[in-house]
Coordinates of all heavy atoms in Angstrom, one line a residue:
M15 N -1.7 -15.6 -18.0 CA -0.5 -14.9 -17.8 C -0.3 -14.7 -16.3 O -1.2 -14.3 -15.6 CB -0.7 -13.5 -18.5 CG 0.5 -12.6 -18.3 SD 0.3 -11.1 -19.2 CE 1.6 -11.2 -20.4
A16 N 1.0 -14.9 -15.9 CA 1.3 -14.8 -14.5 C 1.3 -13.3 -14.0 O 1.8 -12.4 -14.7 CB 2.7 -15.4 -14.2
R17 N 0.8 -13.1 -12.8 CA 0.8 -11.8 -12.2 C 2.2 -11.5 -11.7 O 2.9 -12.3 -11.1 CB -0.2 -11.8 -11.0 CG -0.5 -10.5 -10.6 CD -1.5 -10.5 -9.5 NE -0.8 -10.7 -8.2 CZ -1.4 -10.6 -7.0 NH1 -2.6 -10.5 -6.9 NH2 -0.7 -10.7 -6.0
K18 N 2.7 -10.2 -12.0 CA 4.0 -9.8 -11.5 C 4.0 -9.6 -10.0 O 3.1 -9.0 -9.5 CB 4.3 -8.5 -12.2 CG 5.7 -8.0 -11.8 CD 5.9 -6.6 -12.4 CE 7.2 -6.0 -11.9 NZ 7.0 -4.9 -10.9
E19 N 5.0 -10.3 -9.4 CA 5.1 -10.2 -8.0 C 5.8 -8.9 -7.7 O 6.8 -8.5 -8.3 CB 6.0 -11.3 -7.4 CG 6.0 -11.5 -6.0 CD 4.6 -11.8 -5.4 OE1 3.8 -12.5 -6.0 OE2 4.3 -11.3 -4.3
L20 N 5.3 -8.1 -6.7 CA 5.9 -6.8 -6.4 C 7.1 -7.0 -5.5 O 7.1 -7.9 -4.6 CB 4.9 -5.9 -5.6 CG 3.6 -5.5 -6.4 CD1 2.7 -4.7 -5.5 CD2 4.0 -4.7 -7.6
S21 N 8.1 -6.2 -5.5 CA 9.2 -6.2 -4.7 C 8.8 -5.6 -3.4 O 7.8 -5.0 -3.2 CB 10.4 -5.4 -5.2 OG 10.1 -4.0 -5.2
D22 N 9.7 -5.8 -2.3 CA 9.4 -5.2 -1.0 C 9.3 -3.7 -1.1 O 8.4 -3.1 -0.5 CB 10.5 -5.6 0.0 CG 10.5 -7.1 0.4 OD1 9.4 -7.7 0.1 OD2 11.5 -7.5 0.9
E23 N 10.1 -3.1 -1.9 CA 10.1 -1.6 -2.0 C 8.8 -1.1 -2.7 O 8.2 -0.1 -2.3 CB 11.3 -1.1 -2.7 CG 11.3 0.5 -2.9 CD 11.1 1.3 -1.6 OE1 11.6 0.9 -0.6 OE2 10.3 2.2 -1.7
E24 N 8.4 -1.9 -3.7 CA 7.2 -1.6 -4.4 C 6.0 -1.7 -3.5 O 5.0 -0.8 -3.5 CB 7.0 -2.4 -5.6 CG 8.0 -2.1 -6.8 CD 8.0 -3.1 -7.9 OE1 7.8 -4.3 -7.6 OE2 8.1 -2.7 -9.1
R25 N 6.0 -2.7 -2.7 CA 4.8 -2.9 -1.7 C 4.8 -1.7 -0.7 O 3.8 -1.2 -0.3 CB 4.9 -4.2 -1.0 CG 4.5 -5.4 -1.9 CD 4.2 -6.6 -1.1 NE 5.5 -7.2 -0.6 CZ 6.3 -8.0 -1.2 NH1 6.0 -8.4 -2.5 NH2 7.4 -8.4 -0.6
R26 N 6.1 -1.4 -0.2 CA 6.1 -0.2 0.8 C 5.7 1.1 0.1 O 5.0 1.9 0.7 CB 7.5 -0.1 1.3 CG 7.8 -1.2 2.3 CD 9.1 -0.9 3.1 NE 10.3 -0.7 2.3 CZ 11.1 -1.6 1.8 NH1 10.9 -2.8 2.1 NH2 12.1 -1.2 1.1
A27 N 6.1 1.3 -1.2 CA 5.7 2.5 -1.9 C 4.2 2.5 -2.1 O 3.5 3.6 -2.0 CB 6.4 2.6 -3.2
R28 N 3.6 1.4 -2.4 CA 2.1 1.3 -2.6 C 1.4 1.6 -1.3 O 0.4 2.4 -1.3 CB 1.8 -0.1 -3.1 CG 0.4 -0.2 -3.4 CD 0.1 -1.6 -4.0 NE -1.3 -1.8 -4.2 CZ -1.8 -2.7 -5.0 NH1 -1.0 -3.6 -5.5 NH2 -3.1 -2.8 -5.1
A29 N 2.0 1.1 -0.2 CA 1.4 1.4 1.2 C 1.4 2.9 1.5 O 0.5 3.5 2.0 CB 2.0 0.6 2.2
R30 N 2.6 3.5 1.2 CA 2.8 5.0 1.5 C 1.8 5.8 0.6 O 1.2 6.7 1.1 CB 4.2 5.4 1.1 CG 5.2 5.0 2.1 CD 6.6 5.6 1.9 NE 7.2 5.3 0.6 CZ 8.0 4.3 0.4 NH1 8.4 3.5 1.4 NH2 8.5 4.1 -0.8
A31 N 1.5 5.4 -0.6 CA 0.6 6.1 -1.5 C -0.8 6.0 -1.0 O -1.6 6.9 -1.1 CB 0.7 5.5 -2.9
M32 N -1.1 4.8 -0.3 CA -2.5 4.7 0.2 C -2.9 5.8 1.2 O -4.0 6.2 1.3 CB -2.6 3.3 0.9 CG -2.8 2.2 -0.2 SD -3.3 0.6 0.5 CE -2.1 0.3 1.8
F33 N -1.9 6.2 2.0 CA -2.1 7.2 3.0 C -2.7 8.5 2.4 O -3.7 9.1 2.8 CB -0.9 7.6 3.9 CG -0.7 6.5 4.9 CD1 0.3 5.5 4.7 CD2 -1.4 6.5 6.2 CE1 0.4 4.6 5.7 CE2 -1.2 5.6 7.1 CZ -0.3 4.6 6.9
S34 N -2.1 8.9 1.3 CA -2.6 10.2 0.6 C -3.9 9.9 -0.1 O -4.7 10.8 -0.2 CB -1.5 10.7 -0.3 OG -1.2 9.8 -1.3
R35 N -4.1 8.7 -0.6 CA -5.3 8.4 -1.3 C -6.5 8.4 -0.4 O -7.6 8.8 -0.9 CB -5.2 7.0 -2.0 CG -4.3 7.0 -3.2 CD -4.3 5.7 -3.9 NE -5.7 5.3 -4.4 CZ -6.0 5.5 -5.7 NH1 -5.2 6.0 -6.5 NH2 -7.2 5.1 -6.0
V36 N -6.4 8.0 0.9 CA -7.5 7.9 1.8 C -7.5 9.1 2.7 O -8.5 9.3 3.5 CB -7.5 6.6 2.6 CG1 -7.6 5.4 1.6 CG2 -6.3 6.4 3.4
G37 N -6.5 9.9 2.7 CA -6.4 11.1 3.6 C -6.2 10.8 5.0 O -6.5 11.6 6.0
Y38 N -5.5 9.7 5.3 CA -5.2 9.3 6.7 C -3.7 9.7 7.0 O -2.9 9.7 6.1 CB -5.3 7.8 6.9 CG -6.6 7.4 7.4 CD1 -7.8 7.5 6.7 CD2 -6.7 6.8 8.7 CE1 -9.0 7.1 7.2 CE2 -8.0 6.4 9.2 CZ -9.1 6.5 8.4 OH -10.3 6.1 8.8
T39 N -3.5 10.0 8.2 CA -2.1 10.3 8.7 C -1.5 9.0 9.3 O -2.3 8.2 9.7 CB -2.0 11.5 9.6 OG1 -2.7 11.0 10.8 CG2 -2.6 12.7 9.1
I40 N -0.2 9.0 9.4 CA 0.4 7.8 10.0 C -0.1 7.7 11.5 O -0.5 6.6 12.0 CB 1.9 7.9 9.9 CG1 2.3 7.5 8.4 CG2 2.6 6.9 10.9 CD1 3.7 7.7 8.1
P41 N -0.1 8.8 12.3 CA -0.6 8.8 13.6 C -2.1 8.2 13.8 O -2.3 7.4 14.7 CB -0.5 10.1 14.2 CG 0.7 10.8 13.4 CD 0.5 10.1 12.0
Q42 N -2.9 8.7 12.8 CA -4.3 8.2 12.9 C -4.3 6.7 12.6 O -5.0 5.9 13.3 CB -5.2 8.8 11.8 CG -5.5 10.3 12.0 CD -6.2 10.9 10.8 OE1 -5.7 10.8 9.7 NE2 -7.4 11.5 11.0
F43 N -3.6 6.2 11.6 CA -3.6 4.8 11.3 C -3.0 4.0 12.5 O -3.6 3.0 12.9 CB -2.7 4.5 10.1 CG -2.5 3.1 9.7 CD1 -3.5 2.5 9.0 CD2 -1.4 2.5 10.0 CE1 -3.4 1.1 8.7 CE2 -1.2 1.1 9.7 CZ -2.2 0.4 9.0
A44 N -1.9 4.5 13.1 CA -1.3 3.8 14.2 C -2.2 3.7 15.4 O -2.3 2.7 16.1 CB 0.0 4.5 14.6
R45 N -2.9 4.8 15.7 CA -3.9 4.8 16.8 C -5.0 3.8 16.6 O -5.3 3.0 17.5 CB -4.5 6.2 16.9 CG -5.2 6.5 18.2 CD -5.6 8.0 18.4 NE -5.8 8.8 17.2 CZ -4.9 9.7 16.8 NH1 -3.7 9.8 17.4 NH2 -5.1 10.4 15.7
E46 N -5.5 3.7 15.4 CA -6.6 2.7 15.1 C -6.1 1.3 15.2 O -6.8 0.3 15.6 CB -7.2 2.9 13.8 CG -8.1 4.1 13.7 CD -8.8 4.3 12.4 OE1 -9.1 3.2 11.7 OE2 -9.3 5.4 12.0
L47 N -4.8 1.1 14.9 CA -4.2 -0.3 14.9 C -3.6 -0.6 16.3 O -3.3 -1.8 16.6 CB -3.1 -0.3 13.9 CG -2.7 -1.7 13.4 CD1 -3.8 -2.5 12.8 CD2 -1.6 -1.6 12.3
G48 N -3.5 0.4 17.1 CA -3.0 0.2 18.5 C -1.6 0.1 18.6 O -1.0 -0.7 19.5
V49 N -0.8 0.8 17.7 CA 0.7 0.8 17.8 C 1.2 2.2 17.8 O 0.4 3.1 17.5 CB 1.2 0.0 16.5 CG1 0.7 -1.4 16.4 CG2 0.9 0.7 15.2
H50 N 2.5 2.3 18.1 CA 3.1 3.6 18.0 C 3.4 4.1 16.6 O 3.7 3.2 15.8 CB 4.4 3.6 18.8 CG 5.0 4.9 19.2 ND1 5.7 5.6 18.3 CD2 5.0 5.6 20.3 CE1 6.1 6.7 18.9 NE2 5.6 6.7 20.1
P51 N 3.2 5.3 16.3 CA 3.4 5.8 15.0 C 4.8 5.5 14.4 O 5.0 5.3 13.2 CB 3.2 7.3 15.0 CG 2.3 7.5 16.2 CD 2.7 6.4 17.1
E52 N 5.8 5.5 15.3 CA 7.1 5.2 14.8 C 7.3 3.8 14.3 O 8.0 3.6 13.4 CB 8.2 5.5 15.9 CG 9.6 5.4 15.5 CD 10.0 6.5 14.4 OE1 9.3 7.5 14.3 OE2 10.8 6.2 13.6
V53 N 6.5 2.9 14.8 CA 6.5 1.5 14.3 C 6.0 1.6 12.8 O 6.6 0.9 11.9 CB 5.6 0.6 15.2 CG1 5.5 -0.8 14.5 CG2 6.2 0.5 16.5
V54 N 5.0 2.3 12.5 CA 4.4 2.4 11.1 C 5.5 3.0 10.3 O 5.8 2.5 9.1 CB 3.1 3.2 11.1 CG1 2.6 3.4 9.7 CG2 2.1 2.6 12.0
R55 N 6.2 4.1 10.7 CA 7.2 4.8 9.9 C 8.3 3.8 9.6 O 8.8 3.8 8.4 CB 7.7 6.0 10.6 CG 6.7 7.1 10.6 CD 7.3 8.4 11.3 NE 6.2 9.4 11.5 CZ 5.6 9.6 12.6 NH1 5.9 8.9 13.7 NH2 4.6 10.5 12.7
R56 N 8.8 3.1 10.6 CA 9.9 2.2 10.4 C 9.6 1.1 9.4 O 10.4 0.7 8.5 CB 10.4 1.6 11.7 CG 11.0 2.7 12.6 CD 11.5 2.1 14.0 NE 12.4 1.1 13.9 CZ 13.6 1.2 13.7 NH1 14.2 2.3 13.5 NH2 14.5 0.1 13.7
V57 N 8.3 0.5 9.4 CA 7.9 -0.4 8.5 C 7.8 0.1 7.1 O 8.3 -0.5 6.1 CB 6.5 -1.1 8.9 CG1 6.0 -1.9 7.7 CG2 6.7 -1.9 10.2
L58 N 7.3 1.3 6.9 CA 7.2 2.0 5.6 C 8.5 2.3 5.0 O 8.7 2.3 3.8 CB 6.3 3.2 5.7 CG 4.8 3.0 5.9 CD1 4.1 4.3 6.2 CD2 4.2 2.4 4.7
K59 N 9.5 2.5 5.8 CA 10.9 2.9 5.4 C 11.7 1.6 5.1 O 12.7 1.7 4.6 CB 11.6 3.8 6.4 CG 11.0 5.2 6.4 CD 11.8 6.0 7.4 CE 11.2 7.4 7.5 NZ 11.8 8.2 8.6
G60 N 11.2 0.5 5.5 CA 11.9 -0.8 5.3 C 13.0 -1.0 6.4 O 13.9 -1.8 6.2
K61 N 12.9 -0.2 7.5 CA 13.9 -0.4 8.6 C 13.7 -1.7 9.4 O 14.6 -2.2 10.0 CB 13.9 0.8 9.6 CG 14.1 2.1 8.9 CD 15.5 2.3 8.5 CE 15.7 3.7 7.9 NZ 17.1 3.9 7.4
V62 N 12.5 -2.2 9.4 CA 12.2 -3.4 10.1 C 11.4 -4.3 9.1 O 10.7 -3.8 8.2 CB 11.4 -3.2 11.3 CG1 12.2 -2.5 12.4 CG2 10.1 -2.4 11.1
K63 N 11.5 -5.6 9.2 CA 10.9 -6.5 8.3 C 9.4 -6.8 8.5 O 8.7 -7.1 7.7 CB 11.6 -7.8 8.3 CG 13.0 -7.8 7.8 CD 13.0 -7.9 6.3 CE 14.5 -8.0 5.8 NZ 14.6 -7.7 4.4
G64 N 9.0 -6.6 9.8 CA 7.6 -6.9 10.2 C 7.5 -8.4 10.5 O 6.4 -9.0 10.2
S65 N 8.5 -9.0 11.1 CA 8.4 -10.4 11.4 C 7.6 -10.8 12.6 O 6.9 -11.9 12.6 CB 9.9 -11.0 11.7 OG 10.7 -10.7 10.6
R66 N 7.6 -9.9 13.6 CA 6.9 -10.3 14.9 C 6.2 -9.0 15.5 O 6.6 -7.9 15.1 CB 7.8 -10.9 15.9 CG 8.3 -12.2 15.5 CD 9.3 -12.8 16.6 NE 10.7 -12.3 16.4 CZ 11.5 -12.5 15.4 NH1 11.1 -13.3 14.5 NH2 12.7 -12.0 15.4
G67 N 5.3 -9.2 16.4 CA 4.7 -8.2 17.2 C 4.0 -7.1 16.4 O 3.4 -7.3 15.4
D68 N 4.2 -5.8 16.9 CA 3.6 -4.7 16.3 C 4.0 -4.5 14.8 O 3.2 -4.1 13.9 CB 3.8 -3.4 17.1 CG 3.0 -3.3 18.4 OD1 2.1 -4.2 18.5 OD2 3.3 -2.5 19.2
C69 N 5.3 -4.8 14.5 CA 5.8 -4.5 13.2 C 5.1 -5.5 12.2 O 4.7 -5.1 11.1 CB 7.4 -4.8 13.1 SG 8.3 -3.6 14.1
H70 N 4.8 -6.7 12.6 CA 4.1 -7.7 11.9 C 2.7 -7.2 11.6 O 2.2 -7.2 10.4 CB 4.1 -9.1 12.6 CG 3.1 -10.0 12.0 ND1 3.5 -10.8 10.9 CD2 1.8 -10.4 12.3 CE1 2.4 -11.6 10.6 NE2 1.5 -11.3 11.4
K71 N 2.1 -6.7 12.6 CA 0.7 -6.2 12.6 C 0.6 -5.0 11.5 O -0.3 -5.1 10.7 CB 0.2 -5.7 13.9 CG -1.2 -5.3 14.0 CD -1.6 -4.6 15.3 CE -1.5 -5.5 16.5 NZ -2.1 -4.8 17.7
V72 N 1.5 -4.2 11.5 CA 1.5 -3.0 10.6 C 1.7 -3.5 9.2 O 1.0 -3.1 8.3 CB 2.6 -2.0 11.0 CG1 2.8 -1.0 10.0 CG2 2.3 -1.4 12.3
A73 N 2.8 -4.4 9.0 CA 3.1 -4.9 7.7 C 1.9 -5.6 7.1 O 1.6 -5.5 5.9 CB 4.3 -5.8 7.7
V74 N 1.2 -6.4 7.8 CA 0.0 -7.1 7.3 C -1.1 -6.2 7.0 O -1.7 -6.3 5.9 CB -0.4 -8.2 8.3 CG1 -1.8 -8.9 7.9 CG2 0.7 -9.3 8.4
A75 N -1.4 -5.3 7.9 CA -2.5 -4.3 7.7 C -2.2 -3.5 6.5 O -3.3 -3.1 5.9 CB -2.6 -3.4 9.0
L76 N -1.0 -3.1 6.2 CA -0.7 -2.3 5.0 C -0.5 -3.1 3.7 O -0.3 -2.5 2.7 CB 0.6 -1.5 5.2 CG 0.4 -0.4 6.3 CD1 1.7 0.3 6.6 CD2 -0.6 0.7 5.9
G77 N -0.6 -4.4 3.8 CA -0.5 -5.2 2.6 C 1.0 -5.4 2.2 O 1.2 -5.8 1.1
I78 N 1.9 -5.1 3.1 CA 3.3 -5.2 2.7 C 3.7 -6.6 2.7 O 4.6 -7.1 2.0 CB 4.2 -4.3 3.6 CG1 3.8 -2.8 3.4 CG2 5.6 -4.6 3.5 CD1 4.5 -1.8 4.3
K79 N 3.1 -7.4 3.6 CA 3.4 -8.8 3.7 C 2.1 -9.6 3.9 O 1.1 -9.0 4.4 CB 4.4 -9.1 4.8 CG 3.9 -8.9 6.2 CD 4.9 -9.3 7.3 CE 4.7 -10.8 7.5 NZ 5.5 -11.3 8.7
D80 N 2.2 -10.8 3.6 CA 1.0 -11.7 3.8 C 1.1 -12.3 5.2 O 2.2 -12.5 5.7 CB 1.2 -13.0 2.8 CG -0.1 -13.8 2.9 OD1 -1.2 -13.4 3.1 OD2 0.1 -15.1 2.8
G81 N 0.0 -12.4 5.9 CA 0.0 -12.9 7.3 C -1.3 -12.7 7.9 O -2.3 -12.3 7.3
V82 N -1.4 -13.0 9.2 CA -2.6 -12.9 10.0 C -2.4 -12.0 11.2 O -1.3 -12.1 11.8 CB -3.0 -14.4 10.5 CG1 -4.2 -14.3 11.4 CG2 -3.2 -15.3 9.3
I83 N -3.3 -11.2 11.4 CA -3.2 -10.3 12.6 C -4.0 -11.0 13.7 O -5.2 -11.2 13.6 CB -3.8 -8.9 12.4 CG1 -3.0 -8.2 11.2 CG2 -3.8 -8.1 13.6 CD1 -3.5 -6.8 10.8
V84 N -3.3 -11.4 14.8 CA -3.9 -12.1 15.8 C -4.3 -11.2 16.9 O -3.5 -10.3 17.3 CB -2.9 -13.2 16.4 CG1 -3.5 -13.9 17.6 CG2 -2.4 -14.1 15.3
P85 N -5.5 -11.2 17.4 CA -6.0 -10.3 18.4 C -5.2 -10.5 19.7 O -4.8 -11.6 20.0 CB -7.5 -10.8 18.6 CG -7.8 -11.4 17.4 CD -6.6 -12.1 16.8
E86 N -5.0 -9.4 20.5 CA -4.3 -9.5 21.7 C -5.0 -10.5 22.6 O -6.2 -10.7 22.6 CB -4.4 -8.1 22.4 CG -3.6 -7.0 21.7 CD -2.2 -7.0 22.1 OE1 -1.9 -7.5 23.3 OE2 -1.4 -6.6 21.4
G87 N -4.2 -11.2 23.4 CA -4.7 -12.2 24.4 C -5.0 -13.5 23.8 O -5.4 -14.4 24.5
T88 N -4.8 -13.7 22.4 CA -5.0 -15.0 21.8 C -3.8 -16.0 22.2 O -2.6 -15.5 22.1 CB -5.1 -14.9 20.3 OG1 -6.1 -14.0 20.0 CG2 -5.4 -16.2 19.6
S89 N -4.2 -17.2 22.6 CA -3.1 -18.2 22.9 C -2.3 -18.5 21.6 O -2.8 -18.4 20.5 CB -3.7 -19.4 23.5 OG -4.4 -20.2 22.6
A90 N -1.1 -19.0 21.9 CA -0.2 -19.4 20.8 C -0.9 -20.5 19.9 O -0.9 -20.6 18.7 CB 1.1 -19.9 21.2
I91 N -1.6 -21.5 20.7 CA -2.2 -22.6 19.9 C -3.4 -22.1 19.1 O -3.5 -22.4 17.9 CB -2.8 -23.6 21.0 CG1 -1.6 -24.3 21.7 CG2 -3.7 -24.6 20.3 CD1 -1.9 -25.1 22.9
E92 N -4.2 -21.1 19.6 CA -5.2 -20.5 18.8 C -4.7 -19.8 17.6 O -5.3 -19.8 16.5 CB -6.2 -19.7 19.7 CG -7.1 -20.5 20.6 CD -8.0 -21.4 19.9 OE1 -8.6 -21.0 18.9 OE2 -8.1 -22.6 20.3
A93 N -3.6 -19.1 17.8 CA -3.0 -18.3 16.8 C -2.6 -19.2 15.6 O -2.8 -18.9 14.4 CB -1.8 -17.5 17.3
M94 N -2.0 -20.3 16.0 CA -1.6 -21.3 15.0 C -2.8 -21.9 14.2 O -2.7 -22.1 13.0 CB -0.7 -22.5 15.6 CG 0.6 -22.0 16.2 SD 1.6 -21.2 14.9 CE 3.0 -20.6 15.9
K95 N -3.8 -22.1 14.9 CA -5.1 -22.6 14.3 C -5.6 -21.6 13.3 O -6.0 -21.9 12.2 CB -6.1 -23.0 15.3 CG -5.9 -24.2 16.1 CD -6.9 -24.5 17.1 CE -6.7 -25.7 18.0 NZ -7.7 -25.9 19.0
M96 N -5.5 -20.3 13.7 CA -6.0 -19.2 12.8 C -5.1 -19.2 11.5 O -5.7 -19.1 10.4 CB -5.9 -17.8 13.5 CG -6.9 -17.7 14.6 SD -6.6 -16.1 15.5 CE -7.0 -14.9 14.2
A97 N -3.8 -19.3 11.7 CA -3.0 -19.3 10.5 C -3.2 -20.5 9.7 O -3.1 -20.4 8.4 CB -1.5 -19.3 11.0
D98 N -3.4 -21.6 10.2 CA -3.7 -22.8 9.5 C -4.9 -22.7 8.7 O -5.0 -23.2 7.5 CB -3.7 -24.1 10.4 CG -3.8 -25.4 9.6 OD1 -3.0 -25.5 8.7 OD2 -4.7 -26.2 10.0
E99 N -6.0 -22.1 9.2 CA -7.2 -22.0 8.5 C -7.0 -21.1 7.3 O -7.6 -21.3 6.2 CB -8.3 -21.4 9.4 CG -8.8 -22.2 10.4 CD -9.7 -21.6 11.4 OE1 -10.1 -20.4 11.2 OE2 -10.1 -22.2 12.5
V100 N -6.2 -20.1 7.4 CA -5.9 -19.2 6.2 C -5.2 -19.9 5.2 O -5.4 -19.7 4.0 CB -5.1 -17.9 6.7 CG1 -4.7 -17.1 5.5 CG2 -6.0 -17.1 7.6
L101 N -4.3 -20.8 5.5 CA -3.4 -21.5 4.6 C -4.2 -22.7 3.9 O -3.9 -23.1 2.8 CB -2.2 -22.1 5.3 CG -1.2 -21.0 5.7 CD1 -0.1 -21.7 6.5 CD2 -0.6 -20.3 4.5
S102 N -5.3 -23.1 4.6 CA -6.1 -24.3 4.0 C -6.9 -23.9 2.9 O -7.4 -22.8 2.7 CB -6.9 -24.9 5.1 OG -6.1 -25.4 6.2

C-alpha cells in the first residue's frame, strides 16, 4: 500500500507540533541552528518556501522539505557532491 504524501501545510503543522512535543521554543531551535527566529517563524507559516540559505536549512531541519544541510564554508562543488551522495 502506498504511503500518503503529506501536503505542505500538513508538513508545517507537523513541524509546529514537534515544538510542543519536545518542549523547545522557536528561539532555542533557531539559536542551535544558527538562524534568526523570524526565519523559523516564516518557514512554519509558509511565508517562504525554503529554497535557499537559512530558509532551506530550517525547512530541511524541520522535515518540511527533503534536502541536505550544507555546513558553512563548504564549496559549491563539495555541496553538489554531498547532494549527489544522498541521491545515490
Side-chain angles (χ1 to χ4, degrees):
M15 180 177 242
R17 193 177 89 175
K18 178 184 174 255
E19 191 66 33
L20 298 177
S21 70
D22 289 346
E23 179 52 40
E24 289 171 323
R25 284 192 293 274
R26 287 192 305 271
R28 185 177 177 164
R30 286 189 299 268
M32 284 192 301
F33 280 98
S34 63
R35 288 183 63 97
V36 299
Y38 268 65
T39 64
I40 288 174
Q42 286 173 310
F43 177 80
R45 195 171 24 260
E46 287 189 24
L47 202 55
V49 301
H50 194 279
E52 189 58 30
V53 174
V54 178
R55 289 184 188 99
R56 292 177 58 79
V57 169
L58 287 170
K59 290 179 181 177
K61 301 288 185 188
V62 292
K63 295 275 185 193
S65 301
R66 289 177 283 289
D68 287 347
C69 296
H70 168 82
K71 187 189 294 189
V72 170
V74 171
L76 291 174
I78 293 172
K79 70 174 274 191
D80 184 36
V82 176
I83 297 176
V84 179
E86 292 278 330
T88 303
S89 72
I91 293 169
E92 287 301 313
M94 294 301 173
K95 288 178 182 177
M96 290 172 65
D98 186 50
E99 289 173 8
V100 172
L101 292 174
S102 299

